[in-house]
């Protein structure tokens, strides 16, 4: 099986998309991440849902997780306010990550190796500079675990 055969349509956002809208897309569809494109439509990176969650946690709590227990529920309810007025670009780490991408003709093992190496739940399936779709880790596992 080739990557193009496993690829599925998947929501994408661009670098200047609204961060709160992107977070809602992740939440409403229970996605492991989103493909982020440049203005040209070419994939730029993958934004894992875990990075959005990390952005929501105050730095002092990330430094000392025991402080999470002292936050009031009302304060926790306002944590999503941090996303208001921000762009997807602001959620990305300062150091650009390698785009998790595979070629349309890559095998399932090559797809799995890319996911494992980059520790990313999604890979973009490309033919030249065109995004054909995405292979998620759950889709890959579904295929790998289905008896033939």
């Amino acid at each position: 099986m080739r990557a193009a055969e496993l690829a599925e349509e998947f929501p994408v956002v661009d670098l200047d998309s609204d961060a709160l809208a992107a977070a809602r897309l992740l939440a409403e569809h229970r996605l492991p991440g989103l493909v982020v494109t440049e203005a040209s439509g070419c994939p730029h990176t993958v934004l894992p849902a875990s990075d959005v969650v990390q952005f929501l946690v105050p730095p002092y709590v990330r430094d000392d997780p025991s402080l999470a227990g002292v936050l009031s529920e009302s304060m926790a309810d306002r944590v999503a306010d941090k996303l208001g007025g921000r762009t997807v670009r602001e959620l990305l780490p300062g150091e650009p990550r390698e785009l998790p991408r595979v070629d349309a003709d890559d095998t399932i093992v090559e797809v799995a190796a890319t996911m494992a190496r980059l520790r990313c739940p999604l890979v973009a399936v490309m033919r030249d500079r065109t995004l054909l779709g995405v292979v998620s880790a759950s889709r890959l596992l579904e295929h790998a675990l289905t008896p033939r």
Side-chain angles (χ1 to χ4, degrees):
M1 171 139 319
R2 301 294 173 180
E5 297 171 81
L6 283 177
E8 301 176 289
E9 284 189 36
F10 211 82
V12 298
V13 296
D14 68 48
L15 287 164
D16 296 316
S17 292
D18 179 71
L20 185 56
R24 284 192 173 123
L25 188 60
L26 287 166
E28 289 168 7
H29 298 282
R30 296 184 177 163
L31 301 173
L34 294 168
V35 174
V36 180
T37 62
E38 297 169 358
S40 66
C42 189
H44 175 75
T45 192
V46 167
L47 174 65
S50 59
D51 281 7
V52 178
V53 170
Q54 182 177 11
F55 183 84
L56 296 176
V57 177
Y60 62 88
V61 175
R62 285 195 306 260
D63 293 341
D64 184 358
S66 67
L67 294 175
V70 300
L71 293 177
S72 68
E73 282 302 314
S74 64
M75 188 173 184
D77 290 341
R78 292 190 316 262
V79 77
D81 292 345
K82 286 184 69 176
L83 294 171
R86 298 201 181 258
T87 64
V88 168
R89 182 185 312 268
E90 295 173 79
L91 301 179
L92 298 173
E95 277 294 310
R97 294 186 188 133
E98 179 182 343
L99 173 65
R101 75 178 300 279
V102 295
D103 292 322
D105 293 328
D106 284 356
T107 67
I108 189 172
V109 175
E110 290 170 305
V111 173
T114 298
M115 279 183 184
R117 181 174 61 81
L118 297 176
R119 301 179 57 90
C120 190
L122 303 172
V123 295
V125 178
M126 307 288 293
R127 179 163 284 124
D128 299 318
R129 294 187 51 84
T130 303
L131 176 66
L132 299 181
V134 170
V135 177
S136 65
S138 58
R139 172 86 168 124
L140 182 85
L141 288 170
E142 175 187 48
H143 176 75
L145 298 173
T146 301
R148 308 261 175 271

